[in-house]
Every structure is written in C-alpha cells, then in structure tokens.
Amino acid sequence: MDGNNKSLGDLSTNFWKKEFRCPCKKCRRKKVRVSEFLLFKLEMLRMALGNKPIIINSGNRCPEYNASIGGYPSSAHIIGLAADVRVKGIKPIDIGLAAEKIGGLRIGIARTYVHLDVRPPSPSKFWIYENNIIYSAKIENNDLLKFYQIIKGKEGE
Ligand SMILES: [Zn+2]
Ligand SMILES: [Zn+2]
C-alpha cells in the first residue's frame, strides 16, 4: 500500500485494526479499540511527514501482555490511547518534533521508535528512553528539541 493515497483502513484512512491488535494469543479475537483522537493525530502526523506510512510497533496491549514486556501498569496502550510508531527513513526525534508541532500528544523518544499517546500531559509531556533509563521532562517543559539535546549531552559526558 506504500504511496497509495486511495487506501482506506478500517480504523481511519490509513490505519487498520490488525496494526493495533495486541500481539498475544489471548487477544487474537478480541475487539480492537483505538481512540479516534489518537487516530486523528496519527493521520495528521502522516501528512506532516510527507504522507509516508506510519508503522505501528505497538498499539493495543492487554494488561498481561503489557506486564510481560515491562510496560507501565497503567500504560495508555491498555486503553487504546497510545501507539509506538516508526517511519522508514525518519529519525525518532524528527517524528517527535513533528508530533510536538501537531500538539495534544505525549511523546516518548526511543532509539528506534516514538511512543505517542493522547492522555492529558501529566505527569509529563516528553520522555526520552535511553539505555534503559527514562528521562521525563517537567510539565512546564515545552521544548522537545532542547530537552533531547540536554539528555543526549548528558549521555556523552
Ligand atoms: Zn493480549
Ligand atoms: Zn508506548
């Protein structure tokens, strides 16, 4: 479907339930529920990134699967408010910066993907995942790039 603008997903224009399904065996027939607001933001993000396909690394998770991969017990993935995404040829920080511009998203930058969710920005709006450490920006922090550079700078010390 790459590059095909006529594609029509069963969740939104470019997204499909199968992409968001919890990957565990138990959830194979479970209903996939994804926030309309999140889908709207993801469609906007896709546009902002030149209409390149957004690959969903992780969408829905049942509590058991979420625990098995070390997710937060109250992860937004459990209630369909989150997606871990990547885009071929675009660095996670650049995906994050585009998401920041769109607004209304909590953004976690990892090495190979970006966590996005539509929970209210509390306790924080930005995270950086780095070598198994989660750096969480203060709620007042409204500059992802600056925060990213500070964390990256710390790494190099
Ligand atoms: Zn599951
Ligand atoms: Zn995530």
Side-chain angles (χ1 to χ4, degrees), residues 90-103:
I90 303 183
K91 282 187 210 145
I93 181 60
D94 293 324
I95 297 171
L97 291 171
E100 181 189 19
K101 243 182 227 169
I102 288 163

Side-chain angles (χ1 to χ4, degrees), residues 22-24 26-27 30 61-62 65:
C22 175
C24 87
K26 206 193 76 186
C27 291
K30 223 168 99 178
R61 295 176 194 163
C62 64
Y65 176 73

Side-chain angles (χ1 to χ4, degrees), residues 58 61 75 77 82-84 113-116 129:
S58 178
R61 295 176 194 163
S75 170
H77 287 279
D84 293 348
Y113 67 89
V114 179
H115 167 97
L116 300 171
Y129 310 111

